[in-house]
Amino acid sequence: MAEISMREAYGRALAELGAVNPQVVALDVDTSLSTLSNFFAQRFPERFFNIGIAEPCMVDVAAGLALGGYMPFINGFASLLALRALEQIRTCVCYARTNVKIAASYAGLSDFKDGATHYAITDLANLRALPGMTVIIPADAAEAAAWVPLVAEYDGPVYLRISRAGAIPVHLPDSPLQIGKGRTLRSGNDLTLVATGAMVGRCALAAEELSTQGIHARLLEIHTLKPLDSDLLLQAAAETGALVSAEEHSIIGGLGSAVAEVLSEGCPVPFVRVGIRDHFCPTSRNLDQLMDACGLSVADIVEAAKQVLERKSPSKKS
Amino acid sequence: MKIMTSEKITELEEIARQLRIDSLKLIYHRGAGHPGGALSAAEIIAALYFHILNIDPQNPDWDQRDRFILSKGHASAVLYSALARRGFFPFSELDHWGGLDCPHQGHPDRLKTPGVEMTSGILGHGVALGAGLSLAARMKKQTYQTYVLLGDGECQAGIVWEGAVTAAKYRLANLTAIVDNNNVQLDGFVHDVMPLEPLAGKWSACGWHVIEVNGHSVRQVVEALELARELHDQPTVILAHTTKGKGVSFMENQSYWHGNVPNNEQLSLALTELGEVANG
């Protein structure tokens, strides 16, 4: 596991951004000690606004600040931003096209001690459906930090999904990040693993495991769920003939659905989704155990790879 | 503070009358819209757009302009009438209001209509949006004022109060909310659907300075708006007591006219009551 969490890397990067860009303001909803927007708050108290436990209001205040010439980063729990504040995000950020950056922390299952109310396993489905929204999911702490200035450079609404936890480091410092451009982290032509967020690291382990069995999996990191890098996916489908998606999210509406949309229209090949299979997830004492228990284990990815390979080239059975 | 002569009052009253006529015609021709809440807000809109707001129709994005947010976006007909009469765009652009070839949407869209500060339509957003704009003005040391017009029924939305306490926390004296307090909403009287009284007490308890006026008295509305600019330590709300459907006898206080469209006969009757000379 990484030495620092994704939220800490994000929080420190936001404070750094504040130092170089005076237009950046930050808002939080009584969670600044959790999202770690407090690094920004401590350095720039005059540019930090604690709105209290009121995510919808924070979105609207941020939209107003954007109308007034600032670049707000709003901070809160993904479970609340993507659901309780979704109408505000739709109307006042996406439709009105205000330059609000949504840093959605504690995403996925990363708040493992707090249970299903606090998990965000539908946020990608919710946000991906909104016209005008850009959805970015860093794979590890270093990548979370690297996205912050890039998100600021982009003129328009962004949903940046941040884990409470760390993740297996996969970030490639010399492979530049670009919104809408997926990255090939491992080459291979037997099948393709398509992953986002913390599942990128788990897929890297799965690819390693598969290689010991003589199966060469390509690994694509889709950090930008929207706009989706369809070209990269279609190329992988054409060249490897089988895909597995993996995400710390419901199998409904997130990466798996997005990939299925592209493949079914452009290059239908055998495809299996690894994700949370449409159920609420329990409380845990340990994130890795929780993810394993929710169908997100390395073994689940390996199993999915074998399923999809079987469908690609059915073994001869009597 | 601008001088309010009796001539100015008469002029604003006449503008309000024209805005009512414009609004009903627009709604009739479109076959859709919200007459009741457009008519109740006519004096408020007239006072803002033709006396109070520091705006430049030739330069709608001027950064020193006063900001106005129509939080009750369904009253778009009266806003569009005022914007067109102030010269933000030709009135003829509204000939096909509602059609696919008309940029001006059913509810205000800031990206499509010059002079529309913020997109609205879903009720409840204005106060929190206004708080953000007012914070921005303070940080940038700009002197513009932000005005938000919302409905009394709209005050049933919890986010209004989230915005209200936020504005009070930051002592946003450069923010003024105006409640078009017509006591009628889509389903009936506000006091039946979900009572809000004492509404003044609620705003006051949230940390706002409250001024109550007759919302159909141009003088009272203007004086309250002028006074709000002179208050420097808290946001102000003007509870403008109004009549839904004001000026058209059969529409007054009738929830039916929240969102229904007059037929030809009803339009003629309404225009006659508003003093419009029939043009055949």
Side-chain angles (χ1 to χ4, degrees), chain A residues 242 270 304-317:
Chain A
K306 291 183 176 173
Q307 276 180 35
V308 84
L309 280 173
E310 173 66 20
R311 284 167 48 204
K312 176 186 171 186
S313 311
S315 56
K316 295 180 179 66
K317 288 178 183 170

Side-chain angles (χ1 to χ4, degrees), chain A residues 181-196:
Chain A
K181 289 288 177 200
R183 299 195 295 184
T184 304
L185 300 187
R186 183 183 179 118
S187 56
N189 284 322
D190 292 337
L191 81 155
T192 302
L193 304 177
V194 183
T196 196

Side-chain angles (χ1 to χ4, degrees), chain A residues 50 60 87 95-97, chain B residues 109-110 125 139-140 162 169:
Chain A
N50 200 328
D60 281 0
E87 187 277 313
Y95 180 46
R97 197 158 179 87
Chain B
D109 182 333
R110 79 178 190 95
H125 292 295
M139 283 191 289
K140 287 184 182 285
E162 296 178 7
K169 171 186 174 180

